[in-house]
Amino acid sequence: MASRRSPPKSTPASVRRRWKETYESTPFAHLPWFQPGPSPHVERAVREGLVPPGSETLDIGCGAGSNVLFLARSGCNSHGIDLAPGAVAAARQRAREEGLKVDVREGDALDLPFEASSLDVVVDNGCFHTLDFAHREAYANELARVLRPQGLLLLGWIGRETVTEEGPPHRPSLHEATETFEPKFLFLRVWVSQTPLERGESEYGWTTYYSWLRRRPGPPPPLR
Protein backbone atom coordinates (compact mmCIF):
# COMPACT_ATOMS: atom_id res chain seq x y z
CA MET A 1 0.00 0.00 0.00
CA ALA A 2 1.35 3.43 -0.96
CA SER A 3 2.08 5.78 1.92
CA ARG A 4 -0.48 8.49 2.56
CA ARG A 5 0.67 11.98 1.70
CA SER A 6 0.05 14.88 4.02
CA PRO A 7 -0.92 18.21 2.41
CA PRO A 8 2.28 19.63 0.89
CA LYS A 9 3.78 22.93 1.99
CA SER A 10 4.94 24.37 -1.29
CA THR A 11 7.84 26.77 -1.65
CA PRO A 12 6.68 30.42 -1.48
CA ALA A 13 6.27 32.28 -4.78
CA SER A 14 8.81 34.90 -3.68
CA VAL A 15 11.48 32.21 -3.33
CA ARG A 16 10.61 30.71 -6.71
CA ARG A 17 10.89 34.15 -8.29
CA ARG A 18 14.27 34.81 -6.68
CA TRP A 19 15.77 31.56 -8.00
CA LYS A 20 14.31 32.20 -11.44
CA GLU A 21 15.88 35.67 -11.55
CA THR A 22 19.22 34.36 -10.31
CA TYR A 23 19.64 32.04 -13.29
CA GLU A 24 18.34 34.70 -15.69
CA SER A 25 20.84 37.32 -14.52
CA THR A 26 24.00 35.18 -14.15
CA PRO A 27 25.45 32.43 -16.36
CA PHE A 28 25.29 29.18 -14.42
CA ALA A 29 29.04 28.63 -14.58
CA HIS A 30 29.59 31.97 -12.78
CA LEU A 31 27.32 31.18 -9.84
CA PRO A 32 29.32 30.68 -6.62
CA TRP A 33 27.87 27.24 -5.89
CA PHE A 34 28.48 25.77 -9.35
CA GLN A 35 30.77 22.75 -9.44
CA PRO A 36 31.61 21.24 -12.85
CA GLY A 37 31.99 17.78 -11.31
CA PRO A 38 30.09 15.75 -8.72
CA SER A 39 29.79 16.68 -5.06
CA PRO A 40 32.26 14.85 -2.80
CA HIS A 41 29.65 12.84 -0.90
CA VAL A 42 28.01 11.71 -4.14
CA GLU A 43 31.25 10.72 -5.87
CA ARG A 44 32.37 8.86 -2.75
CA ALA A 45 29.09 6.96 -2.40
CA VAL A 46 29.34 5.75 -6.01
CA ARG A 47 33.01 4.83 -5.64
CA GLU A 48 32.31 2.80 -2.48
CA GLY A 49 29.40 0.93 -4.06
CA LEU A 50 26.47 2.47 -2.19
CA VAL A 51 24.92 3.59 -5.49
CA PRO A 52 25.07 0.66 -7.94
CA PRO A 53 24.28 0.97 -11.66
CA GLY A 54 20.56 0.87 -12.36
CA SER A 55 19.65 2.86 -9.25
CA GLU A 56 16.78 5.33 -9.52
CA THR A 57 18.38 8.58 -8.33
CA LEU A 58 17.08 12.10 -7.79
CA ASP A 59 19.10 15.28 -7.23
CA ILE A 60 16.98 17.92 -5.47
CA GLY A 61 17.91 21.49 -6.35
CA CYS A 62 20.09 20.07 -9.10
CA GLY A 63 21.19 23.41 -10.54
CA ALA A 64 23.07 22.96 -13.80
CA GLY A 65 23.08 19.20 -13.27
CA SER A 66 26.62 18.18 -12.34
CA ASN A 67 25.45 15.42 -9.98
CA VAL A 68 22.69 14.37 -12.39
CA LEU A 69 25.21 13.95 -15.20
CA PHE A 70 27.69 12.11 -12.99
CA LEU A 71 25.04 9.64 -11.82
CA ALA A 72 23.93 9.06 -15.41
CA ARG A 73 27.53 8.35 -16.41
CA SER A 74 27.68 5.90 -13.50
CA GLY A 75 24.82 3.88 -14.98
CA CYS A 76 21.95 5.23 -12.89
CA ASN A 77 18.48 6.24 -14.03
CA SER A 78 19.19 9.84 -13.18
CA HIS A 79 16.54 12.47 -12.34
CA GLY A 80 16.86 16.08 -11.20
CA ILE A 81 14.54 18.88 -10.16
CA ASP A 82 15.05 22.59 -9.61
CA LEU A 83 12.80 25.59 -8.99
CA ALA A 84 14.63 27.67 -11.61
CA PRO A 85 13.77 27.17 -15.30
CA GLY A 86 17.25 28.42 -16.18
CA ALA A 87 18.87 25.69 -14.10
CA VAL A 88 16.73 23.02 -15.77
CA ALA A 89 17.62 24.37 -19.21
CA ALA A 90 21.34 24.37 -18.36
CA ALA A 91 21.26 20.79 -17.07
CA ARG A 92 19.38 19.56 -20.13
CA GLN A 93 21.80 21.33 -22.48
CA ARG A 94 24.83 19.84 -20.74
CA ALA A 95 23.23 16.37 -20.94
CA ARG A 96 22.61 16.81 -24.69
CA GLU A 97 26.21 17.86 -25.23
CA GLU A 98 27.40 14.65 -23.53
CA GLY A 99 24.78 12.44 -25.15
CA LEU A 100 23.38 11.44 -21.76
CA LYS A 101 19.79 10.43 -21.11
CA VAL A 102 18.49 12.17 -17.98
CA ASP A 103 15.16 13.41 -16.63
CA VAL A 104 15.49 17.01 -15.42
CA ARG A 105 12.42 19.15 -14.75
CA GLU A 106 11.05 21.98 -12.67
CA GLY A 107 9.94 20.77 -9.28
CA ASP A 108 9.42 21.71 -5.65
CA ALA A 109 11.45 20.03 -2.91
CA LEU A 110 8.42 20.20 -0.62
CA ASP A 111 6.12 18.48 -3.13
CA LEU A 112 8.24 16.10 -5.18
CA PRO A 113 6.75 14.89 -8.49
CA PHE A 114 7.53 11.23 -7.75
CA GLU A 115 5.48 8.31 -6.49
CA ALA A 116 5.89 6.93 -2.99
CA SER A 117 8.79 4.47 -2.57
CA SER A 118 9.92 4.98 -6.17
CA LEU A 119 13.55 6.05 -5.66
CA ASP A 120 16.69 4.31 -4.45
CA VAL A 121 18.82 7.40 -3.84
CA VAL A 122 18.08 11.08 -3.19
CA VAL A 123 20.84 13.70 -3.37
CA ASP A 124 20.69 17.03 -1.55
CA ASN A 125 23.78 19.14 -2.06
CA GLY A 126 22.66 22.52 -0.80
CA CYS A 127 18.86 22.43 -0.64
CA PHE A 128 18.49 21.81 3.11
CA HIS A 129 20.33 24.99 4.08
CA THR A 130 17.98 27.15 1.99
CA LEU A 131 14.77 25.95 3.68
CA ASP A 132 12.94 27.95 6.30
CA PHE A 133 12.86 26.31 9.73
CA ALA A 134 9.10 25.75 9.43
CA HIS A 135 9.58 23.58 6.32
CA ARG A 136 12.26 21.23 7.61
CA GLU A 137 10.00 18.52 9.02
CA ALA A 138 7.83 18.52 5.90
CA TYR A 139 10.96 18.24 3.77
CA ALA A 140 12.29 15.23 5.68
CA ASN A 141 8.89 13.56 5.45
CA GLU A 142 8.75 14.17 1.71
CA LEU A 143 12.18 12.63 1.17
CA ALA A 144 11.16 9.59 3.20
CA ARG A 145 7.96 9.30 1.17
CA VAL A 146 9.67 9.01 -2.22
CA LEU A 147 12.53 6.77 -1.06
CA ARG A 148 12.13 3.03 -0.87
CA PRO A 149 12.66 1.40 2.55
CA GLN A 150 16.43 1.37 3.15
CA GLY A 151 16.81 3.99 0.40
CA LEU A 152 19.81 6.31 0.62
CA LEU A 153 19.91 10.06 1.24
CA LEU A 154 23.18 11.81 0.34
CA LEU A 155 23.07 15.11 2.21
CA GLY A 156 25.44 18.07 2.06
CA TRP A 157 24.99 21.46 3.73
CA ILE A 158 26.89 24.55 4.86
CA GLY A 159 27.25 24.44 8.65
CA ARG A 160 26.83 27.05 11.34
CA GLU A 161 30.62 27.55 11.63
CA THR A 162 30.53 29.44 8.31
CA VAL A 163 29.96 33.04 9.35
CA THR A 164 30.63 34.92 6.09
CA GLU A 165 28.07 37.34 4.69
CA GLU A 166 28.06 35.32 1.47
CA GLY A 167 26.38 31.96 1.55
CA PRO A 168 23.05 30.28 2.22
CA PRO A 169 20.42 31.93 4.43
CA HIS A 170 20.58 29.13 7.03
CA ARG A 171 23.62 27.20 8.27
CA PRO A 172 22.28 24.21 10.22
CA SER A 173 24.29 22.61 12.99
CA LEU A 174 24.72 18.85 13.10
CA HIS A 175 22.25 18.85 16.00
CA GLU A 176 19.65 20.59 13.84
CA ALA A 177 20.23 18.09 11.01
CA THR A 178 19.76 15.12 13.31
CA GLU A 179 16.62 16.65 14.81
CA THR A 180 15.23 17.07 11.30
CA PHE A 181 16.13 13.74 9.74
CA GLU A 182 16.61 11.15 12.49
CA PRO A 183 12.89 10.37 12.95
CA LYS A 184 12.84 9.05 9.36
CA PHE A 185 16.49 8.22 8.67
CA LEU A 186 19.46 6.43 10.20
CA PHE A 187 22.76 8.33 9.95
CA LEU A 188 25.40 6.05 8.44
CA ARG A 189 28.34 8.46 8.17
CA VAL A 190 29.06 12.14 8.74
CA TRP A 191 32.22 14.06 7.87
CA VAL A 192 33.25 17.70 7.69
CA SER A 193 35.18 19.66 5.08
CA GLN A 194 36.73 23.00 6.03
CA THR A 195 38.16 25.54 3.60
CA PRO A 196 40.22 28.43 5.05
CA LEU A 197 38.83 31.92 4.49
CA GLU A 198 40.98 34.59 2.90
CA ARG A 199 39.89 37.36 5.29
CA GLY A 200 39.99 35.32 8.49
CA GLU A 201 36.36 35.89 9.51
CA SER A 202 36.27 32.61 11.41
CA GLU A 203 38.77 30.08 12.74
CA TYR A 204 36.55 27.35 11.26
CA GLY A 205 36.60 28.68 7.70
CA TRP A 206 33.98 27.64 5.15
CA THR A 207 32.53 24.51 6.77
CA THR A 208 30.54 21.91 4.84
CA TYR A 209 28.90 18.85 6.40
CA TYR A 210 28.41 15.70 4.37
CA SER A 211 26.30 12.75 5.46
CA TRP A 212 24.94 9.44 4.23
CA LEU A 213 21.56 8.46 5.66
CA ARG A 214 19.42 5.35 5.25
CA ARG A 215 15.63 5.57 5.24
CA ARG A 216 14.23 3.72 8.23
CA PRO A 217 11.91 0.82 7.35
CA GLY A 218 9.78 1.74 10.40
CA PRO A 219 9.73 4.11 13.35
CA PRO A 220 12.94 4.60 15.33
CA PRO A 221 13.47 2.56 18.48
CA PRO A 222 12.13 4.15 21.68
CA LEU A 223 14.35 6.29 23.85
CA ARG A 224 15.90 4.57 26.87
Side-chain angles (χ1 to χ4, degrees):
M1 179 181 295
S3 60
R4 181 179 300 176
R5 296 185 63 182
S6 58
K9 296 180 178 180
S10 61
T11 300
S14 59
V15 175
R16 292 173 174 272
R17 183 166 56 252
R18 185 168 68 247
W19 283 111
K20 179 176 182 291
E21 292 171 351
T22 295
Y23 277 86
E24 289 175 344
S25 62
T26 306
F28 72 84
H30 295 168
L31 292 169
W33 55 82
F34 174 72
Q35 299 172 322
S39 303
H41 60 316
V42 178
E43 190 277 332
R44 185 172 179 179
V46 170
R47 185 177 71 246
E48 296 191 14
L50 272 75
V51 186
S55 298
E56 293 286 344
T57 65
L58 169 64
D59 184 11
I60 298 176
C62 66
S66 295
N67 285 318
V68 176
L69 303 183
F70 170 74
L71 290 166
R73 288 188 221 108
S74 302
C76 298
N77 298 319
S78 186
H79 309 268
I81 65 162
D82 202 284
L83 286 173
V88 172
R92 289 176 175 174
Q93 178 61 33
R94 294 177 72 200
R96 283 193 295 270
E97 290 172 356
E98 289 198 42
L100 295 171
K101 182 179 179 181
V102 299
D103 164 36
V104 183
R105 49 182 135 154
E106 291 181 49
D108 191 331
L110 301 176
D111 186 20
L112 296 171
F114 292 87
E115 297 295 325
S117 300
S118 61
L119 299 171
D120 299 302
V121 180
V122 167
V123 174
D124 174 345
N125 186 53
C127 181
F128 176 48
H129 61 216
T130 69
L131 297 175
D132 289 338
F133 295 98
H135 288 155
R136 287 180 177 178
E137 181 179 359
Y139 179 58
N141 290 340
E142 185 68 351
L143 299 189
R145 181 188 70 82
V146 298
L147 276 169
R148 296 180 176 126
Q150 304 292 338
L152 191 67
L153 170 60
L154 308 178
L155 180 66
W157 74 95
I158 302 301
R160 67 187 299 179
E161 292 79 10
T162 303
V163 297
T164 57
E165 289 296 323
E166 302 84 5
H170 309 292
R171 291 98 188 269
S173 67
L174 182 57
H175 176 68
E176 290 174 85
T178 54
E179 278 194 325
T180 299
F181 293 102
E182 201 202 14
K184 298 289 185 179
F185 294 89
L186 174 66
F187 280 74
L188 302 179
R189 187 181 297 184
V190 179
W191 70 97
V192 180
S193 173
Q194 293 179 302
T195 304
L197 297 171
E198 293 181 2
R199 298 184 298 277
E201 291 96 332
S202 168
E203 61 183 291
Y204 297 104
W206 189 271
T207 301
T208 306
Y209 285 85
Y210 297 110
S211 184
W212 298 342
L213 299 84
R214 185 79 71 186
R215 179 182 178 268
R216 294 184 185 274
L223 296 174
R224 296 189 181 188

